[in-house]
Amino acid sequence: MMRAFLVVIDSVGIGGAPDAAAYFNGDLPDTGANTLGHILQACAEGRAEEGRSGPLAVPNMAALGLFNALNLASGMEVETPSLTGRFAAATEVSKGKDTPSGHWELAGLPVPWDWHYFPDALPAFPAEVVEKACEIAGTFGILGNCHGSGTVMIDRFGADHLRSGYPICYTSADSVFQIAAHEQFFGLERLYALCEGLAPMLHEMKVGRVIARPFVGEVGHFQRTANRRDFAITPPEPVLTNWVQDAGRKVYGVGKIGDIFSMTGIDEVRKGRDAQLMEHLADYVDTAEEGSLTFANFVEFDSEYGHRRDISGYARHLEWFDVELGKILSRLREGDMLVVTADHGNDPSWSGTDHTRERVPVLVAGKGSGEIGQIAFADVAASIAAHLNVPAQGPGRSFLK
């Protein structure tokens, strides 16, 4: 009986997606987007942060093969250290560059349909959706009804929200319907009830997630809280979490994993900001039972830095994560397998504010060292299942064989 830890560093892509030209940020295709590569270049050239120059300092991930995976995915050559882990570059087949598509496929299930996306127009939402939102919220209207970045939406419509009581509803290039509301003025539980009540209608339309985006503060000083909640479509077929749970093992979620999979196949979830999530992950490394799976997502790479096109912040967060990862690696037991990967890209140097279509790194600790090669997202699930000796389903093939 062995343990597995699957850690998603949300949006840390490594370029090279063969179909990037079919995906856009505004009017520009994602061809050439490379989240990690462009952060590396910005750091080396002193563009990541005033007064800073020199390489991005991520020695633990580099030793697992992060820069090797970057070269494998996009041909970008970076000096690499001696390897302590195995590395691969994974390519997604699902038609999307979003959280559910990436996570479902990493868990062994390519998305079997095309997601519904709202047009970048005013209004963005059909009248029946707006009417349903108003009915559930008990209001005479909504604010927003457009594409936008969450923090911009709060700054733009927050004052009107406090005056009118109307929820702020917006979307993006992802298949999402997001609702922002003030935790005290509107009410956190009321916001959750609104999202939960609206979710069935939107899921029927194949909108992937309805997301509660609570915030606090006063006009000019609004701040989002850690009480985000995603109401996502339940995967239509068993995924890695189900495979492990059906074999009688425990499955632990860290971060938004429970929301992404609608709690299917998950025994326990711990949430918080990334610093708290790292503490939760460390605790599971110390206490999780033999044969268990711990599935974690660190979202702030994406939510705080990728969408905001903050190269400096993204670089600092990578370095913070790498330091903490080193502590995690030193606490693994003999027989443990830890995989660090990503679900899509979000190049902070790129145009627009949306995700970017990229390959992702797959870094493996506990299974020797060396190159695995080019793999599919679903191969991650098959490999973890093989490590845990549980039956796998879906198209993935284990890279452990």
Side-chain angles (χ1 to χ4, degrees):
M1 295 281 278
M2 302 178 182
R3 304 186 303 170
F5 300 87
L6 176 54
V7 180
V8 177
I9 45 178
D10 201 302
S11 84
V12 184
I14 52 176
D19 56 358
Y23 295 83
F24 289 81
N25 265 268
D27 295 330
L28 296 177
D30 286 345
T31 308
N34 191 330
T35 300
L36 177 64
H38 290 152
I39 292 171
L40 280 169
Q41 289 177 341
C43 288
E45 296 168 5
R47 294 184 289 107
E49 187 172 358
E50 186 176 352
R52 169 181 175 156
S53 62
L56 182 74
V58 287
N60 293 300
M61 287 191 286
L64 291 178
L66 179 62
F67 298 153
N68 306 74
L70 174 65
N71 178 264
L72 189 62
S74 57
M76 184 174 178
E77 295 187 3
V78 181
E79 184 177 349
T80 58
S82 298
L83 289 177
T84 61
R86 301 181 68 193
F87 68 90
T91 303
E92 185 175 11
V93 300
S94 298
K95 295 180 180 178
K97 51 176 180 175
D98 51 64
T99 294
S101 297
H103 282 78
W104 286 15
E105 194 167 329
L106 287 169
L109 177 65
V111 178
W113 54 62
D114 290 339
W115 296 110
H116 177 81
Y117 302 93
F118 294 108
D120 191 357
L122 289 173
F125 306 125
E128 59 269 24
V129 171
V130 175
E131 291 170 5
K132 186 67 173 178
C134 292
E135 175 189 330
I136 298 170
T139 62
F140 295 103
I142 64 172
L143 299 170
N145 202 346
C146 61
H147 278 233
S149 173
T151 52
V152 173
M153 292 293 99
I154 293 169
D155 290 340
R156 180 179 173 187
F157 295 107
D160 288 341
H161 168 68
L162 295 181
R163 283 193 295 268
S164 67
Y166 292 0
I168 304 168
C169 302
Y170 61 101
T171 188
S172 70
D174 293 337
S175 181
V176 294
F177 189 101
Q178 304 195 70
I179 307 178
H182 197 282
E183 283 196 3
Q184 284 79 45
F185 176 77
F186 190 87
L188 182 60
E189 294 304 320
R190 183 183 174 199
L191 173 59
Y192 289 160
L194 171 56
C195 293
E196 185 175 19
L198 195 58
M201 178 183 194
L202 291 165
H203 291 171
E204 184 67 25
M205 297 168 60
K206 293 298 184 286
V207 175
R209 291 175 292 163
V210 181
I211 306 177
R213 289 286 199 174
F215 64 96
V216 294
E218 301 177 351
V219 176
H221 302 282
F222 293 130
Q223 183 176 2
R224 291 197 295 198
T225 75
N227 293 321
R228 163 183 171 160
R229 184 175 295 178
D230 293 35
F231 297 82
I233 294 179
T234 301
E237 299 176 23
V239 294
L240 175 64
T241 54
N242 303 110
W243 309 344
V244 175
Q245 194 180 66
D246 290 347
R249 317 287 184 77
K250 291 290 187 179
V251 179
Y252 301 108
V254 176
K256 63 180 184 178
I257 294 299
D259 294 337
I260 294 168
F261 293 99
S262 298
M263 287 301 294
T264 180
I266 299 173
D267 293 287
E268 177 181 294
V269 168
R270 298 185 190 178
K271 293 187 174 184
R273 293 188 63 85
D274 276 8
Q276 294 171 290
L277 299 183
M278 187 61 73
E279 294 176 3
H280 296 322
L281 177 60
D283 187 49
Y284 283 129
V285 169
D286 289 343
T287 64
E289 300 93 332
E290 294 299 313
S292 64
L293 167 66
T294 300
F295 196 165
N297 171 282
F298 288 85
V299 71
E300 290 176 20
F301 296 97
D302 185 58
S303 62
E304 299 294 323
Y305 309 113
H307 286 299
R308 299 183 188 185
R309 296 302 189 252
D310 181 354
I311 298 174
S312 173
Y314 210 128
R316 289 195 304 271
H317 207 58
L318 282 166
E319 292 179 336
W320 165 81
F321 177 84
D322 192 77
V323 170
E324 298 302 317
L325 177 65
K327 300 173 187 177
I328 293 291
L329 293 173
S330 69
R331 295 159 80 163
L332 294 175
R333 302 174 189 168
E334 184 177 355
D336 286 346
M337 174 181 175
L338 183 143
V339 177
V340 177
T341 187
D343 52 343
H344 51 71
N346 201 348
D347 189 337
S349 74
W350 211 242
S351 63
T353 61
D354 297 318
H355 296 153
T356 43
R357 180 74 166 186
E358 301 178 42
R359 288 186 169 117
V360 302
V362 178
L363 314 178
V364 184
K367 289 294 181 180
S369 62
E371 179 176 329
I372 296 168
Q374 297 275 7
I375 65 172
F377 274 37
D379 294 347
V380 172
S383 303
I384 291 174
H387 172 74
L388 294 176
N389 195 26
V390 301
Q393 303 174 37
R397 300 180 63 183
S398 172
F399 53 70
L400 300 181
K401 296 179 179 178

